[in-house]
Amino acid sequence: MIDVTVQRELPVPADKAWALISDFGDISWAPGMDKVEVTGEGPGMIRAIHMPGDTPPIEERLESLDHDNRVMEYTIPKGMPMPLTGYRATAKVVPLDDDSCRVDWGCRAQEVGVSPQEAEAMAAGVYNQLLDWIAEELDRR
């Protein structure tokens, strides 16, 4: 079992970062996708991420969205792109002061066919990339 969290401080108010991250159906800020299809609204909604090539979409399911505490949880029931099972991710925005925040993004999952260290490194790499894209998008806004 792995438990990985990556943290990044951002020079923007927490509400600005949360507005971007909590919009589960819109991940247009993340490059490299052919398209994203959204089914449903709120917890239970599915975003199907279609990547280039002839691979099945990655289906991510919004499990919870807590605006008061700025916490979002989601799972990947189909099309997991990493060697993991039982994946549950959490993204949290923590205000540091009026003009900055910290984003914590991580997951708990069971590695499959790789060592826990390899799985942790893969997940941390994905979250660091996501946080890079988020920082770039927030810079543009």
Side-chain angles (χ1 to χ4, degrees), residues 24-45:
F24 192 75
D26 180 7
I27 54 172
S28 58
W29 46 265
M33 299 169 287
D34 280 349
K35 67 179 176 176
V36 176
E37 295 175 318
V38 176
T39 305
E41 292 181 19
M45 76 186 291

Side-chain angles (χ1 to χ4, degrees), residues 59-74:
E59 289 190 9
E60 298 182 336
R61 182 180 192 275
L62 180 63
E63 299 294 342
S64 66
L65 190 62
D66 179 346
H67 290 292
D68 292 336
N69 294 303
R70 298 183 189 94
V71 178
M72 174 179 72
E73 293 185 316
Y74 63 96

Side-chain angles (χ1 to χ4, degrees), residues 17-135:
W18 179 244
L20 178 69
I21 292 167
S22 67
D23 188 354
F24 192 75
D26 180 7
I27 54 172
S28 58
W29 46 265
M33 299 169 287
D34 280 349
K35 67 179 176 176
V36 176
E37 295 175 318
V38 176
T39 305
E41 292 181 19
M45 76 186 291
I46 301 283
R47 64 181 176 201
I49 303 168
H50 296 263
M51 302 302 286
D54 193 25
T55 59
I58 301 164
E59 289 190 9
E60 298 182 336
R61 182 180 192 275
L62 180 63
E63 299 294 342
S64 66
L65 190 62
D66 179 346
H67 290 292
D68 292 336
N69 294 303
R70 298 183 189 94
V71 178
M72 174 179 72
E73 293 185 316
Y74 63 96
T75 58
I76 301 180
K78 290 184 184 176
M80 169 55 75
M82 294 181 280
L84 302 171
T85 188
Y87 177 93
R88 187 175 192 96
T90 303
K92 181 176 184 175
V93 178
V94 179
L96 299 176
D97 58 36
D98 289 345
D99 298 317
S100 66
C101 65
R102 186 186 77 231
V103 177
D104 302 343
W105 206 305
C107 74
R108 295 193 68 189
Q110 181 64 52
E111 69 278 1
V112 178
V114 297
S115 73
Q117 295 80 9
E118 290 172 306
E120 288 169 358
M122 283 183 231
V126 167
Y127 301 133
N128 276 310
Q129 182 64 71
L130 283 170
L131 292 173
D132 287 347
W133 291 331
I134 288 167

